[in-house]
Amino acid sequence: MASMLLNSMRSCSVSHSWAMRFVQTKSKKTLARPGVKNIVLVEGVRTPFLLSGTTYVDLMPHDLARAALQGLLNRTGVPKDAVDYIIYGTVIQEVKTSNVAREAAMGAGFSDKIPAHTVTMACISSNQAMTSAVGLIAAGQCDAVVAGGVEFMSDVPIRHSRKMRKTMLSLNKAKTLGQKLSLIGSIRMAHLSPELPAVAEFSTAETMGHSADRLAAAFGVSRVEQDEFAVRSHSLAKKAQESGLLEDVISFKVPGRDIVSKDNGIRPSSMEQMAKLKPAFIKPHGTVTAANSSFLTDGASAVLIMSEEKALAMGYKPKAYLRDFVYYNLAGLLHIRPVESEEINLNRGFYGNSVDIYLCVFQGQIMANLKAMDSDWFAQTYMGRKSKVGTPSMDKFNLWGGSLSLGHPFGATGCRLVTTVAHRLKKEGGQYGLVAACAAGGQGHAMVIEAYPQ
């Protein structure tokens, strides 16, 4: 599967954040292939996505991951010993729970005999968790795998400076009082300065916001275009929330606090209010602001993935088939990636005027991608195509809101996207969905999803 897709996608590229789309079609042709095991999404849930520093502030990452796992167990009723493997994605790890998948699984009551591991691939960490699950099932190693992701920005690890760390480690090894006093005497005020984590690439030191701002400038995306998209995203998310469409959200009783049952970052605004905000990254002339980019978010997600045979034998009605997927890297182009989804789309023969939805984080980024998709130069330079891909209709774009309004806990968003695809396909009668996402380092991921027959 992977090799076939890689051969078909050698020249593609797309976005940092998150893009998701559906293709509605009158054709009922399935993407099932002879000799390839059908793998299905049985269910997906998530905790409410909350602004960091709010209700979840006193928790730890494994608390959120445990809540998502317990929510999945409650929603599906799957016997805990029927799960063969558990995989979680995360980005900024809590050092006390480096394998958060294992700690959360144990806390949720899964057997200690079930293997569990944690993956990190920046913003596509839970995508990697899901496709790793698909690989285990396709290889015949497992029949049922739980995948998910968690991010907890309310309490990120802050380190002592390197000089202070070296001194402290040396103190731990010192054997005499004289050696200890000498080391203590070597400490200077500058050594006490902490090292704060940055949401930036190590190799370039560029943050996602800076990259989005740079990309917006390169493709001529205006501040007004970004603000309009942000207003729309929050408005649509609010409508979806009030209409009960975000059914993947589970209620969570936060210890010592109230029960939370909905995302708290959805805040519809006006263009006048948006215009008052100053640039957040490139000052004073940047176009990316705190309002037209996603906020730091706490949250966790979990999905149950099975072979179709196993799911039906256990009495489940799957939500969707998980079909093809691919990973790709184009270093130096952090945010240029929805064209990756289009490349799978084109090679599958899906593309037309029937796009339903895209999800994204930075509006400068996604608007730039739309312009890239409509550029012959970009297609020829970066995609190896003779002509442009073309852009989807905005009338079908991101109708339930996106990461900008719902929140983007880095390690958890992928599962949210896939679950939302499945729900929208069922709600709107579509047959195919395509999730595309990208991550630090110019990495990207795309997955084809097919609706399960009703």
Side-chain angles (χ1 to χ4, degrees):
M1 177 191 297
S3 60
M4 179 191 73
L5 283 167
L6 285 170
N7 287 334
S8 70
M9 297 222 3
R10 286 190 299 265
S11 303
C12 69
S13 65
V14 203
S15 82
H16 151 82
S17 288
W18 300 92
M20 180 173 68
R21 56 170 276 168
F22 299 124
V23 179
Q24 301 246 13
T25 174
K26 295 180 180 179
S27 170
K28 295 301 179 183
K29 181 181 179 181
T30 178
L31 294 181
R33 298 195 301 276
V36 177
K37 185 179 295 187
N38 283 331
I39 299 170
V40 296
L41 172 72
V42 174
E43 185 60 89
V45 301
R46 65 181 175 90
T47 67
F49 286 177
L50 303 187
L51 289 151
S52 63
T54 57
T55 308
Y56 294 151
V57 67
D58 295 323
L59 301 180
M60 291 179 65
H62 75 284
D63 294 319
L64 290 179
R66 180 180 66 237
L69 290 173
Q70 289 173 332
L72 186 66
L73 288 171
N74 293 337
R75 183 76 63 90
T76 62
V78 63
K80 297 174 182 177
D81 58 358
V83 173
D84 301 312
Y85 209 106
I86 298 170
I87 311 170
Y88 249 72
T90 195
V91 179
I92 300 179
Q93 297 190 11
E94 163 61 53
V95 294
K96 292 182 178 179
T97 56
S98 56
N99 187 1
V100 71
R102 175 69 170 173
E103 303 301 336
M106 295 290 288
F110 283 94
S111 169
D112 60 4
K113 296 180 181 179
I114 300 175
H117 80 268
T118 301
V119 296
T120 185
M121 200 173 182
C123 291
I124 52 176
S125 293
S126 62
N127 303 67
Q128 181 59 250
M130 287 185 289
T131 57
S132 295
V134 169
L136 286 170
I137 296 171
Q141 294 291 317
C142 301
D143 284 317
V145 180
V146 170
V150 62
E151 208 64 45
F152 191 66
M153 300 302 292
S154 287
D155 182 27
V156 297
I158 299 174
R159 306 195 302 178
H160 283 291
S161 68
R162 189 179 188 95
K163 289 183 178 179
M164 190 64 184
R165 297 199 305 272
K166 290 174 68 175
T167 301
M168 293 171 72
L169 289 171
S170 297
L171 270 171
N172 191 49
K173 298 177 182 178
K175 297 180 180 180
T176 67
L177 178 61
Q179 289 174 332
K180 292 179 180 180
L181 291 175
S182 176
L183 286 167
I184 292 173
S186 70
I187 298 174
R188 300 291 180 265
M189 286 297 295
H191 296 180
L192 301 177
S193 298
E195 289 183 357
L196 302 177
V199 185
E201 291 195 10
F202 175 79
S203 56
T204 65
E206 186 175 57
T207 68
M208 293 176 286
H210 281 97
S211 179
D213 232 330
R214 179 168 57 84
L215 200 63
F219 282 88
V221 179
S222 70
R223 166 75 179 269
V224 170
E225 287 178 290
Q226 296 173 67
D227 286 354
E228 287 176 342
F229 200 100
V231 169
R232 178 179 181 273
S233 181
H234 280 277
S235 298
L236 291 174
K238 185 67 173 178
K239 181 179 179 181
Q241 188 181 66
E242 293 177 344
S243 301
L245 297 176
L246 308 180
E247 57 186 282
D248 56 332
V249 179
I250 59 171
S251 295
F252 174 33
K253 174 63 175 73
V254 180
R257 292 175 178 259
D258 297 331
I259 295 175
V260 290
S261 57
K262 62 181 182 179
D263 308 316
N264 72 356
I266 302 173
R267 299 180 178 181
S269 184
S270 67
M271 287 296 291
E272 291 73 24
Q273 291 172 315
M274 296 279 288
K276 295 177 182 178
L277 295 180
K278 297 180 179 180
F281 300 98
I282 298 179
K283 304 173 183 180
H285 305 298
T287 57
V288 177
T289 71
N292 63 29
S293 55
S294 69
F295 46 87
L296 294 179
T297 314
D298 299 335
S301 57
V303 296
L304 177 59
I305 299 173
M306 288 183 168
S307 64
E308 182 181 27
E309 182 180 11
K310 179 71 171 181
L312 296 178
M314 294 185 68
Y316 290 114
K317 178 64 179 293
K319 289 183 177 293
Y321 291 108
L322 302 182
R323 297 301 191 189
D324 292 345
F325 65 87
V326 69
Y327 288 91
Y328 191 79
N329 195 82
L330 190 61
L333 290 177
L334 174 58
H335 281 91
I336 274 287
R337 294 205 101 70
V339 203
E340 175 175 286
S341 64
E342 292 308 323
E343 191 72 10
I344 281 186
N345 189 29
L346 287 161
N347 281 287
R348 281 296 183 186
F350 291 157
Y351 192 73
N353 298 315
S354 53
V355 177
D356 286 322
I357 189 168
Y358 268 89
L359 274 79
C360 58
V361 178
F362 294 100
Q363 300 324 302
Q365 168 260 324
I366 195 61
M367 302 305 289
N369 274 278
L370 293 175
K371 293 190 177 186
M373 291 163 63
D374 203 35
S375 165
D376 287 330
W377 171 83
F378 187 87
Q380 294 162 7
T381 305
Y382 291 104
M383 297 181 67
R385 295 178 52 80
K386 294 182 179 179
S387 60
K388 63 188 179 183
V389 173
T391 57
S393 169
M394 291 300 291
D395 292 339
K396 300 178 180 180
F397 194 102
N398 204 18
L399 298 184
W400 290 5
S403 295
L404 169 68
S405 47
L406 300 174
H408 175 38
F410 307 134
T413 295
C415 290
R416 179 189 71 78
L417 296 179
V418 169
T419 302
T420 301
V421 169
H423 287 169
R424 283 208 57 186
L425 288 174
K426 180 179 179 180
K427 180 76 174 177
E428 300 181 7
Q431 186 172 358
Y432 304 117
L434 189 57
V435 170
C438 71
Q443 301 182 112
H445 165 255
M447 176 186 285
V448 175
I449 298 164
E450 181 179 340
Y452 200 81
Q454 301 301 312

